[in-house]
Amino acid sequence: MKSDTHKPLRVIISGGGTGGHIFPALSIAEALKRANPDTEILFVGAENRMEMEKVPAAGFPIVGLPVAGFDRKRLWRNFKVLAKLFKSMAKAKKVIKDFAPDVAVGVGGYASGPVLKQAQAASIPTVLQEQNSYPGVTNKMLAPKAKAICTAYPEMDRFFPAETIVLTGNPVRAALTASTLTKEQACEALGFDPAKPLLFVTGGSLGARTINRSVEAALKLFAEKEIQVLWQTGKLYADECRKAAEPYPLVKAMPLVKAMPFIADMATAYRAADLVVARAGAGTISELELLGKPAILIPSPNVAEDHQRKNAEALTSRGAAMMILDADAPAVLGEKVCSLIGNKDALTGLGAAAASLAKENSAEKIVDVIYSVVI
């Protein structure tokens, strides 16, 4: 962040739907507050989505819009979606008028569309933050009138006007990089044996069905190899995953498998892990890079433009991760984990390659971009 004094701003931050959008948005908001504590920030998200809980919990106000995503498979359902879009545009216009922001920041997801469109119509400067290597529909739609577009991957001029692109990286939660725990300390804090390998499995904040079923299929093999498993299952799959873990009892008063719906202390989980199995969301990839963690990525096939696979390939092409396709995971994940987690040289190589791609201080860089379009 620049060393000069930052004046207080009025900033709208819009987007959400998943942790991959919400956590970067919160990181940007926190960095804006560090730049000037008098800056006023208003979030705008989608009603009944995760941001309506997570943003207030972080201490920021939020307004919900009735907006919903288009159903690309069942087009007849989009009549209701269009009605919600018109209502959202009207509400977004009122929010813009009442709050009178100096700048509007869109972090992706369909909730950001109405707000950023109305801001652009009112000649308020807009900044986009694109987390993925293949941009979403909303950001592509908003890009021509955006003053700046903060990206995490190079060569994004294939999608956006080159003169507006700033390579900043994706912001991650400050706690992830602030932790000073060693692997041994992190394992002990989580109740695991530091002397045994630990696999950390996460399907993201909502969980991932294929990853959970793949882990369940591999648990017997992991037990035979004495591979410990810290398993973030997601709330929806919590009961079935907990039952799957029950046959693997305590070893020396320590769990071999610990299945949890949600892990709040991700910093400790990452530091305890020898290997991570995860989806290939942009936020997860940025975390893996900043922490230099070796990973097996299983891209979700249920995302727009297959962008998770493109995210994963951006790492695998540089030797910074391994990738297993979603359809192949139930059959091969167990063997892949066992062969990799026992190979320290391979783990070290993957981690080092991931760390070489990291972009530090992303939130502060984005704040500088925000000020550059306002001043």
Side-chain angles (χ1 to χ4, degrees), residues 36-59:
N36 191 308
D38 292 328
T39 287
E40 294 187 43
I41 298 170
L42 176 65
F43 279 79
V44 182
E47 292 175 352
N48 303 316
R49 297 305 298 267
M50 182 190 294
E51 56 265 29
M52 301 308 293
E53 175 189 346
K54 298 294 184 185
V55 170

Side-chain angles (χ1 to χ4, degrees), residues 356-370:
S356 73
L357 301 175
K359 298 172 184 66
E360 297 182 347
N361 303 316
S362 295
E364 283 73 18
K365 291 174 183 175
I366 292 169
V367 168
D368 283 339
V369 172
I370 291 169

